[in-house]
Amino acid sequence: MKNLIRIARIALTLKKQLFFNLMFNVLGMFFSIFSFAMIIPLLRVIFNSDESFFRNTIAEYQGNVTLNQDSILDFFNYKLAVFSLANGKESTLIYICIFLVSMVFLKNLFTYLSNFYLTNIVHLSVKDIRDNMYQKIIRLPMSFFSDEKKGDLLSRFSADVKEVEISIKATTNAIFKEPFYIIGYLITLTLISIKLTLFILIFLPVAGFVISKISNGLKKRTNQGQIDVGKMMSITEETLYGLRIVKGFNAQSQMIDKYKESNNRLFKVMVGISRRVYIASPVSEFLGVIATAGVLLYGGNLVFAGEIYPDIFIGYLILFSQLITPFKAISKAMYDSSQGISALNRVEEVLFEEETIKSDSKCLNINSFSKEICYSNVGFKYEKDWVLKDINITIKKGQTAALVGHSGSGKTTLADLLIRFYDVQEGEILIDGKNIKNVDLNQLRSLMGVVTQESVLFNDTIFNNIAFGLKKVSKEEVVNASKMANAHGFISKLDNGYETVIGDAGNKLSGGQKQRISIARALLKNPNILILDEATSSLDTASEKAVQEALDHLMKNRTSLVIAHRLSTIQHADIIFVVDNGKIVESGSHEELLIKNNFYKKFIDMQAI
Ligand code: ADP
């Protein structure tokens, strides 16, 4: 029940849709009861073909209608008798059938309308969840995304959201439809026979208890199932991403085994869940049959004793059989919601994840960059160990600062801190004297352009890749940026020029071409501060030259923080910071550092080898 309510709360925000859904459910319920109850007069007319029965009914009728069960039944019987005598039984039959068809038509019309609003409720809720999840993911700090999480996140987006969708539908019906049908039918059944209905009411809680027993334990298995789906998505994503390596290193069978292991575990969990779910339906049906047999026995005896007419009893049985459907739907909703709740938990883990990196309402404006970037006593760790410690560097406007050092020494981390992919844990980073934690995040990032080692391109046209993140960009601007990035030449030669779609992650282009597109993107953004992670992958000489020229254009008249690998960049930098094991061990110009004949000299000698 707790699960049902928690899931229903999602739909509660859509008050208008819920109101109409509820209204049409109630109307549908009325006409559903009427259409089934019509079976009673129908049987009465067919079973009593001589008129004496109806004459007796009229003779016995007392005439006063009060709100009690016998009086209401007598009233209907009397009306039917009068009508039948006046119009003849053939005509009565025709009228009853016309009435029945109209009732069924209206019932179905209202059922359709209620489903119409139910669909809105379900899909609007899910649409909101997806939108919110996507926006959250865009806003969450980089620290949230470790590699293993990607597949898991994808599965939260797809499988878990689907699960929530199914449970919202079942739950909305279980709360806003089925109880009304149950109440409506029970009232009608009570009107027909109090004794029989009391008998049912005693039996129902027993059935409810048995069903709730089955649902226990389902939640735990469901959780495990969802975690396994996440793991499998991770493996699939990793495989797709690294397919070249998987094939190149002949690791197919290893990956297949890894996948099979996860898949087998999922198989076992899912079979366990399905067995429990599938046992629910036959159990509730069997319980329904037991109840029906009880009603048949008890009601049959009432008929023998003359306490209830046979036609009314058959009508009662038919109405009673309809009572099983909403109960079944509610018990199914219980299962669905227990599955839905673990999916919802996983979705909400993302939705409610804390956004540690954001601008607060009182943040400072930073529209321009005029003096210097300053790291003051900066310390940072991803997990337990300090990755950077006691970093003190200053980069003046217009300077090119090169970070050099061995792989893993902390260069990328140092650069990532400037753009606030992560926040420092010690010290502060200042731009023109303003702590970057206190300035508007969007403004801060607009000051900067990033060119990463691996060109990040999207499966879109070249134009859109270059104009990425900017609004209202003209073709001319894109072409100019491409020309400066030495990219215009090869782009013009492509069949569709700037409108060429470059494939997933730009796979249709060569490494050098991808880099030049990334550089054109940065040139077009024209940032004050450039963060550049030079590619280490060796390009052929022609590409290398083209990329180098593009980079020279990009760095000209700009303040740049470059994670430098090329000797030419390092040599021409205004200031070089040598990073070793998370610390700045030396700084100065190329010549100064060579004279010192220490870390830098060794590093350069090693590069030369
Ligand atoms: P460099 O750019 O000099 O090669 P990095 O800044 O990438 O070095 O890495 C510095 C250290 O931080 C390394 O020891 C690396 O293992 C660790 N590191 C990098 N990224 C993460 C991360 N997302 N989570 C945990 N540790 C990380």
Side-chain angles (χ1 to χ4, degrees), residues 145 382-383 387 405-414 422 533 563:
F145 306 92
Y382 287 103
E383 282 148 16
V387 170
H406 299 291
S407 161
S409 55
K411 304 178 298 291
T412 312
T413 311
L414 197 97
Y422 307 92
D533 195 349
I563 297 169

Side-chain angles (χ1 to χ4, degrees), residues 371-423:
K371 263 171 49 207
E372 60 182 24
I373 299 165
C374 180
Y375 283 61
S376 163
N377 291 323
V378 167
F380 176 78
K381 56 186 172 187
Y382 287 103
E383 282 148 16
K384 281 203 312 285
D385 302 324
W386 290 99
V387 170
L388 294 174
K389 199 79 183 140
D390 304 326
I391 303 288
N392 285 295
I393 61 179
T394 303
I395 306 162
K396 298 244 177 289
K397 185 179 162 125
Q399 279 190 331
T400 295
L403 296 173
V404 297
H406 299 291
S407 161
S409 55
K411 304 178 298 291
T412 312
T413 311
L414 197 97
D416 283 351
L417 292 179
L418 183 60
I419 198 158
R420 277 194 85 195
F421 282 160
Y422 307 92
D423 271 338

Side-chain angles (χ1 to χ4, degrees), residues 446-449 470 484 520-529 554 556-558:
S446 336
L447 290 181
M448 303 189 195
L470 300 174
M484 283 209 280
R521 179 197 288 161
L523 276 163
L524 185 64
K525 190 180 176 195
N526 195 15
N528 283 289
I529 301 166
L554 183 59
K556 201 151 90 200
N557 301 330
R558 235 181 275 278

